[in-house]
Amino acid sequence: MFSLLSSEFILLSASTLFVYVLYQSRAKPQKLPLPPGPSKLPFVGNAFSFPSTFEWEAFTQWGKDYNSDILHLSVFGISIVVLNSFEATRDLLEKRSTLYSSRPRFHLITEVMGFEWLIPFMPYGNAWKERRRILQRHFHSQNDALVRPVELKYTRGLLLKLLEDPSTNFRTHVRHAIGSTLMSLTYGTKTHSMSDPIVEVAEETGHHLSQNATPATVLIDKLPFLIPILSPFLSASAFKKPRAFWDKLTLTLRETPFAVVQREMADGTAEPSFVSKALEDISGTQDTAKQHQIIKDVAALVFIGSGTTNAVMQTFFLAMTLFPEAQAKAHEEFDRIIGRGRLPDFDDMPHLPYIAALIREVHRWKTPGPFGIPRILEQDDEYKGYLLPAGSFIMSNAWAIQYNEEQYPNPSTFLPDRFMKDGKLDASLPDPSVVSFGFGRRTCPGMPVANSSVWLMIASLLSVFEIIPPVDEKGVQILPKGNYVSGMTFHPAPFDCVVRPRHKEVEVLIRGTADIHA
């Protein structure tokens, strides 16, 4: 039972909430209608119907129910606008980016967990612009001469690990290859173990962010005084860990590898990396401490970004396990265009259209970011005859875009051929990977690096391996169920598959090209 004090607190919170909702509803007269959406109850709005997991699927269905690519919901007076089409998302987040580029406060992420330094959760302003600028300067497509040799090294190391140790779960080898690539690009340091502590901390941080930045938990951004009441009913790990836990993650991510690079630069042993080059770029007229802080923030973000690439690669392994006909077509394209005498490299990219189509379908079929991080509308706006109220949370539904049945018939089926036309990539269909990386001023600057890493890993794996389901003691295939984990980063639940060489020349081919230090 509640004590008298807790009962008084609940009564005070409810009263405060009632006044807040009443103010929100009467603050501005509405001359235009709101976008359509589920019926709202007095006072609570859509609080009882708001999904807590797999939100994107519910919003996609509501878009069909109300025949609209833009929806309006309300939870305790908080206005929420859901964008369910590429057109609406592009029109607002790109063409009107001055109004749609900032973020809500993210009370859980920034204040409870202490990740206010993470760029994706920063409001639009000078601090965000400074970090964005340095990201764009160092992580762009013109930097291929520095990026691609590192990607080649660790991708070929991945092939060797899968050849020598196929019994180990493929996820372990993949996460090590991705983490090592980002570690090398960001800090110039090498990871020598599949359980490197820095890589593990980055992955753990990404996992917690994915679970705590969901639309359901972000709603308390405007209602932080309800946290003591709501926290027992929410699964967000932010409520279950002490602040010291989050501070330790931050210290490990931002300070430890940065200090290593500084020490190596002083010794003259530093490898070229984002951090070393960014430190060299600091001029004598700049505030050195401030610049160091910016570099630390950007470097840690790049490293945490391994979660999205990992999700894409896990979906790739699942798709190959479940859809062998797509894998067979990829093998045929390799044998016909490259042959079996060498591994693919980046020069082969324009000549392997089916591989490109397969990668696009991986992004579309189970997009790694089905729901964009919410933005906040700076002032009242009008779109398609509807009022979009100032202060609204703007949520772009990438899942609805990727599952548009007019553009992608039978969207639940994994079908790379949907992106092919007359033996070439169909230029009339947009690249789904673009949707995965966001819109407008908030588009992820790391997209070129992520896309090139994914292409090389998938192309290399398909050139030498066959990915098949395991079998039971009777020789019957055990197909994965294909379940997924709900979160900001969307990835399959753990499943098993077998990775085996496609032909007898594979071992010589891999050992002849792999860097033993990768």
Side-chain angles (χ1 to χ4, degrees):
M1 295 182 62
F2 289 114
S3 67
L4 177 62
L5 179 61
S6 61
S7 299
E8 291 174 347
F9 177 78
I10 292 173
L11 180 61
L12 177 62
S13 297
S15 301
T16 305
L17 180 59
F18 176 77
V19 173
Y20 172 80
V21 173
L22 189 64
Y23 170 78
Q24 287 290 96
S25 62
R26 296 184 177 181
K28 297 168 187 161
Q30 296 180 0
K31 296 181 180 179
L32 293 172
L34 293 168
S39 298
K40 302 174 179 66
L41 295 173
F43 184 60
V44 298
N46 302 109
F48 296 132
S49 60
F50 196 92
S52 59
T53 57
F54 300 97
E55 298 91 341
W56 45 89
E57 294 183 358
F59 296 150
T60 300
Q61 184 58 51
W62 284 342
K64 295 176 182 177
D65 294 344
Y66 296 97
N67 193 29
S68 177
D69 64 348
I70 182 168
L71 301 171
H72 185 268
L73 300 93
S74 175
V75 176
F76 293 116
I78 300 173
S79 175
I80 302 164
V81 176
V82 179
L83 308 178
N84 266 352
S85 72
F86 184 83
E87 177 192 23
T89 304
R90 181 195 56 198
D91 287 349
L92 298 181
L93 303 192
E94 290 191 350
K95 295 181 180 179
R96 305 184 191 180
S97 59
T98 54
L99 298 180
Y100 292 87
S101 293
S102 200
R103 297 288 197 203
R105 201 169 108 221
F106 292 109
H107 184 88
L108 282 187
I109 301 294
T110 61
E111 297 179 39
V112 176
M113 299 170 69
F115 287 101
E116 73 284 346
W117 52 272
L118 268 176
I119 304 167
F121 302 100
M122 283 184 173
Y124 186 76
N126 290 333
W128 179 85
K129 289 179 182 178
E130 290 171 329
R131 286 154 179 78
R132 172 83 177 192
R133 194 177 301 118
I134 196 171
L135 257 173
Q136 290 177 314
R137 187 187 313 150
H138 290 273
F139 293 94
H140 53 78
S141 57
Q142 283 73 43
N143 220 12
D144 288 346
L146 294 175
V147 171
R148 290 187 168 181
V150 175
E151 293 173 329
L152 276 166
K153 172 183 176 178
Y154 287 105
T155 294
R156 291 180 176 174
L158 168 64
L159 301 183
L160 182 60
K161 288 183 172 66
L162 287 169
L163 177 71
E164 293 183 335
D165 187 21
S167 61
T168 300
N169 193 303
F170 72 91
R171 280 180 294 274
T172 302
H173 295 307
V174 170
R175 61 179 278 274
H176 178 259
I178 295 170
S180 298
T181 299
L182 291 176
M183 173 74 90
S184 182
L185 290 174
T186 308
Y187 301 106
T189 54
K190 299 179 178 66
T191 57
H192 299 287
S193 168
M194 287 188 290
S195 59
D196 187 282
I198 300 295
V199 173
E200 291 186 341
V201 166
E203 290 185 348
E204 182 179 12
T205 303
H207 168 75
H208 287 300
L209 290 171
S210 176
Q211 297 304 308
N212 286 284
T214 63
T217 55
V218 168
L219 287 176
I220 66 171
D221 170 77
K222 289 189 176 181
L223 307 170
F225 55 87
L226 290 181
I227 287 179
I229 298 174
L230 296 176
S231 59
F233 306 102
L234 295 173
S235 61
S237 58
F239 297 126
K240 305 181 186 304
K241 304 284 187 181
R243 179 58 184 262
F245 174 84
W246 306 116
D247 289 343
K248 183 177 180 180
L249 288 184
T250 294
L251 179 68
T252 304
L253 277 173
R254 293 166 84 198
E255 305 295 339
T256 303
F258 182 85
V260 171
V261 177
Q262 282 186 306
R263 185 169 62 250
E264 290 176 343
M265 289 180 71
D267 296 340
T269 60
E271 296 281 342
S273 67
F274 158 71
V275 171
S276 67
K277 290 183 177 298
L279 287 172
E280 290 170 355
D281 288 346
I282 297 176
S283 68
T285 60
Q286 292 176 303
D287 182 338
T288 302
K290 178 182 177 181
Q291 292 303 309
H292 282 191
Q293 200 66 48
I294 293 172
I295 295 169
K296 290 176 187 177
D297 292 350
V298 173
L301 171 66
V302 172
F303 202 34
I304 293 173
S306 64
T308 300
T309 306
N310 265 308
V312 172
M313 292 305 301
Q314 289 181 44
T315 290
F316 160 74
F317 274 89
L318 178 62
M320 295 302 95
T321 306
L322 292 176
F323 302 97
E325 64 281 358
Q327 185 174 185
K329 289 185 178 183
H331 291 160
E332 186 279 329
E333 183 176 72
F334 271 115
D335 292 346
R336 173 168 43 87
I337 294 176
I338 295 180
R340 296 186 172 187
R342 66 177 179 87
L343 294 173
D345 59 32
F346 290 108
D347 292 336
D348 297 309
M349 193 181 293
H351 309 296
L352 296 169
Y354 187 81
I355 300 304
L358 186 147
I359 293 171
R360 291 185 179 192
E361 184 69 343
V362 167
H363 277 276
R364 188 210 63 80
W365 182 55
K366 303 290 183 183
T367 181
F371 216 67
I373 300 175
R375 308 192 191 189
I376 195 161
L377 178 55
E378 299 282 0
Q379 64 186 50
D380 282 354
D381 197 13
E382 177 186 347
Y383 183 66
K384 293 186 176 181
Y386 295 122
L387 170 69
L388 309 185
S392 294
F393 286 10
I394 308 298
M395 300 182 174
S396 57
N397 189 354
W399 183 270
I401 295 173
Q402 311 284 40
Y403 270 57
N404 181 334
E405 294 180 10
E406 293 183 6
Q407 194 165 52
Y408 306 114
N410 196 13
S412 297
T413 300
F414 185 85
L415 188 63
D417 280 301
R418 72 173 81 245
F419 292 101
M420 298 290 289
K421 186 177 182 179
D422 300 327
K424 299 178 181 179
L425 274 177
D426 187 351
S428 68
L429 287 176
D431 183 351
S433 69
V434 174
V435 177
S436 300
F437 288 97
F439 290 82
R441 298 178 184 180
R442 291 283 181 170
T443 301
C444 176
M447 181 170 62
V449 174
N451 279 344
S452 61
S453 289
V454 166
W455 184 90
L456 185 65
M457 279 190 287
I458 288 179
S460 299
L461 287 163
L462 287 173
S463 70
V464 292
F465 289 122
E466 183 180 15
I467 302 167
I468 60 175
V471 296
D472 62 19
E473 62 278 1
K474 296 180 180 179
V476 178
Q477 288 187 338
I478 306 172
L479 292 175
K481 294 181 179 179
N483 295 330
Y484 270 70
V485 178
S486 181
M488 184 178 67
T489 303
F490 196 50
H491 60 85
F495 66 95
D496 293 325
C497 65
V498 175
V499 181
R500 68 184 186 188
R502 288 182 57 212
H503 50 82
K504 61 182 180 181
E505 294 87 1
V506 163
E507 181 172 358
V508 173
L509 193 59
I510 291 176
R511 292 190 184 280
T513 56
D515 185 327
I516 61 173
H517 300 293

